[in-house]
């Protein structure tokens, strides 16, 4: 085995590699848009930063409504074909940003984009489960997360050329490049074999009619909602790293602005290198719950380290910021795979898409409320705010195993699905 194959997140040849390459293409576009989209809309289109922020917030909330119905549709249709179609729609939505010239048009395009993006996440989860099978889906999730971070890093680097040029043509190329990555991702997805639904599992609470899970059952599964909600609370840490830590670094920790890039790069590199390795041992709900407990405690420790950077000399502050980010990344990775393991294993086998849609919707709500809540709590509250967040993370992590046992007590044994195909090798 070559040194590159040991450190590369790209898996060996097979269905998972095809899925990983589709993810890589998709996330290169994500990196382009995340890095340059706001500047395109403000500097080239001419929208105000406030209107862009308000429009994206509103579109994000509306987009959450697509998660459950499209996830449920993936349980009844081939998720490969459905996701490829969604990505074609995302390509059109991404290209439509070239037509934006006013706030109403921007809002319409953003709402369409967010509806498709939210549904795509739920359908992707169903496709991962179909490709990797029950024993390999958490490993596949970790692999795709590492690949996604690599793709976003590449896209962000490419976006730097457009931002350096800062011209109308450069921004147009950036937007078109994002649209093209969706087309490439869809083409790669269609190289996978079809995965028609097998059906047959039995869900909690008798939520079936003529052997088919009733619509909305996932939203009424209180025990699943409790576990998924705990994971969504821990998911607030994503907002901390993306928004709060950069602002804290330059305002309260006294570090120079380039340290923000070093912090984010540390997280990205560690995620690419460690996501698969730290994703082991979360294949069933019981072990995933223990991993979630560990994630909550480690994230709480990272909050203490970030809080300790206040008022330190610059050199000590930079050192502690990077150390805190290393600790944070371990908690982040354990949380990601634990959340996937719980959401997969607590769902009926023939309702993976619907239940992942609910899980994604709750995580989306966390991302929606996170910026306002955490900037108020941490940036305005200072060290006590960090301590409060750390206490919440530790408490949620410690409570997850008990919530999981409660959810498992209500789960009926799965009925073997007829005609089910063996899982693809991962």
């Amino acid at each position: 085995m070559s040194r590159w194959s040991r450190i590369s997140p790209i898996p060996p040849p097979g269905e998972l590699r095809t899925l990983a390459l589709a993810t890589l293409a998709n996330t290169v576009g994500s990196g382009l848009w995340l890095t340059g989209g706001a500047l395109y809309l403000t500097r080239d289109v001419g929208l105000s930063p406030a209107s862009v922020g308000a429009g994206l917030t509103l579109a994000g909330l509306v987009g959450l409504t697509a998660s459950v119905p499209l996830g449920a549709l993936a349980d009844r249709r081939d998720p490969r074909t459905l996701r490829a179609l969604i990505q074609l729609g995302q390509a059109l939505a991404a290209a439509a940003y070239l037509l934006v010239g006013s706030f109403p048009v921007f809002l319409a395009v953003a709402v369409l984009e967010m509806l498709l993006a939210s549904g795509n996440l739920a359908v992707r989860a169903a496709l991962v489960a179909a490709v990797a099978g029950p024993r390999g889906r958490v490993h596949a999730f970790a692999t795709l997360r590492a690949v996604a971070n690599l793709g976003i890093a590449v896209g962000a680097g490419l976006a730097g050329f457009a931002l350096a040029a800062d011209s109308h043509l450069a921004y147009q190329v950036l937007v078109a490049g994002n649209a093209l990555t969706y087309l490439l991702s869809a083409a790669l997805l269609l190289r996978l074999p079809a995965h028609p639904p097998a059906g047959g599992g039995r869900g909690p609470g008798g939520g079936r009619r003529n052997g088919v899970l009733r619509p909305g059952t996932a939203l009424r599964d209180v025990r699943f909602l409790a576990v998924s909600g705990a994971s969504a609370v821990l998911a607030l840490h994503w907002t901390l790293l993306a928004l709060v830590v950069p602002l804290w670094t330059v305002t309260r920790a006294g570090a120079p602005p380039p340290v923000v890039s070093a912090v984010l790069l540390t997280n990205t590199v560690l995620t690419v290198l460690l996501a698969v390795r730290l994703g082991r041992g979360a294949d069933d709900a019981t072990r995933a719950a223990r991993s979630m407990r560990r994630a909550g405690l480690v994230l709480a420790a990272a909050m203490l380290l970030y809080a300790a950077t206040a008022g330190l000399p610059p050199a000590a502050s930079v050192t502690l910021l990077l150390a805190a980010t290393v600790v944070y990344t371990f908690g982040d990775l354990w949380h990601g795979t634990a959340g996937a393991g719980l959401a997969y294993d607590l769902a009926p086998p023939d309702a993976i898409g619907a239940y992942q849609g609910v899980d994604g919707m709750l995580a989306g709500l966390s991302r929606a409320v996170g910026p306002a809540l955490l900037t108020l709590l941490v940036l305005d509250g200072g060290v006590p705010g960090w301590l409060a967040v750390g206490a919440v993370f530790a408490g949620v992590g410690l409570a997850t195993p008990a919530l999981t046992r409660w959810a498992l007590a209500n789960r009926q044994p799965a009925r073997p699905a007829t005609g089910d195909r063996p899982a693809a090798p991962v």
Side-chain angles (χ1 to χ4, degrees):
M1 180 182 294
S2 68
R3 178 175 298 179
W4 168 249
S5 64
R6 287 197 297 267
I7 64 174
S8 171
I10 304 297
E15 289 186 35
L16 184 57
R17 170 176 278 191
T18 302
L19 192 54
L21 293 176
T23 297
L24 182 64
N26 194 171
T27 52
V28 166
S30 298
L32 284 170
W33 185 246
L34 288 172
T35 305
L39 290 176
Y40 163 70
L41 293 168
T42 53
R43 296 179 66 85
D44 194 54
V45 176
L47 300 176
S48 69
S51 64
V52 171
L56 291 176
T57 298
L58 179 59
L61 291 173
V62 174
L64 292 177
T65 62
S67 184
V68 178
L70 281 177
L73 185 60
D75 295 323
R76 303 191 298 271
R77 299 289 186 269
D78 172 21
R80 177 213 61 169
T81 304
L82 180 58
R83 189 178 179 211
L85 290 173
I86 290 175
Q87 299 237 279
L88 290 176
Q90 288 181 289
L92 293 175
Y97 276 108
L98 294 171
L99 306 177
V100 170
S102 63
F103 179 76
V105 177
F106 159 65
L107 184 60
V109 173
V111 167
L112 174 61
E113 179 197 29
M114 292 297 184
L115 286 168
L116 291 168
S118 180
N120 179 50
L121 290 176
V123 175
R124 182 191 67 174
L127 179 58
V128 169
V131 167
R135 290 176 295 177
R137 56 199 180 190
V138 175
H139 167 82
F141 172 88
T143 299
L144 296 180
R145 180 167 183 193
V147 171
N149 273 261
L150 178 62
I152 289 173
V154 171
L158 293 175
F161 292 103
L163 301 187
D166 196 27
S167 66
H168 174 69
L169 177 60
Y171 285 119
Q172 297 277 300
V173 170
L174 183 147
V175 175
N178 180 34
L180 288 174
T181 62
Y182 285 115
L183 295 177
L184 178 57
S185 179
L188 287 166
L189 289 172
L190 291 176
R191 294 176 59 186
L192 292 169
H195 287 276
R202 297 189 64 83
R208 294 182 182 276
R209 180 181 297 137
N210 297 326
V212 178
L213 196 72
R214 294 172 183 169
T217 297
L219 287 168
R220 296 191 296 271
D221 190 342
V222 176
R223 302 187 186 208
F224 178 84
L225 291 174
V227 176
S228 185
S231 179
V233 171
L234 281 185
L236 287 169
H237 70 77
W238 296 331
T239 300
L240 283 169
L241 184 71
L243 176 64
V244 176
V245 170
L247 295 174
W248 176 271
T249 297
V250 298
T251 60
R252 306 293 288 272
V259 174
V260 173
S261 296
V263 166
L264 298 178
L265 183 62
T266 298
N267 173 258
T268 299
V269 171
L270 288 176
T271 299
V272 172
L273 295 177
L274 299 177
V276 176
R277 183 176 303 176
L278 296 183
R280 296 167 184 159
D283 300 315
D284 61 72
T286 301
R287 291 192 295 172
R290 290 197 294 265
S291 184
M292 187 75 80
R293 177 177 58 197
R294 181 169 59 243
L297 295 174
V298 171
L299 287 170
M303 300 305 102
L304 298 179
L305 293 174
Y306 282 126
T309 62
L312 290 179
S317 178
V318 170
T319 301
L320 195 53
L321 280 168
L322 294 176
T325 302
V326 172
V327 175
Y328 164 89
T329 303
F330 276 78
D332 171 24
L333 294 175
W334 277 322
H335 167 247
T337 52
L342 288 167
Y344 277 131
D345 202 42
L346 294 177
D350 59 347
I352 294 292
Y355 273 70
Q356 289 286 332
V358 170
D359 186 67
M361 182 184 67
L362 293 176
L365 286 173
S366 174
R367 288 192 296 270
V369 304
L373 174 64
L374 294 175
T375 52
L376 176 65
L377 190 60
V378 175
L379 295 180
D380 292 344
V383 172
W386 282 114
L387 298 181
V389 174
V392 170
F393 286 168
V396 169
L398 290 170
T400 300
L403 291 173
T404 302
R405 288 192 296 271
W406 182 51
L408 287 171
N410 195 48
R411 191 176 69 172
Q412 300 177 15
R415 185 174 60 198
T418 58
D420 197 13
R421 300 190 309 169
V426 297

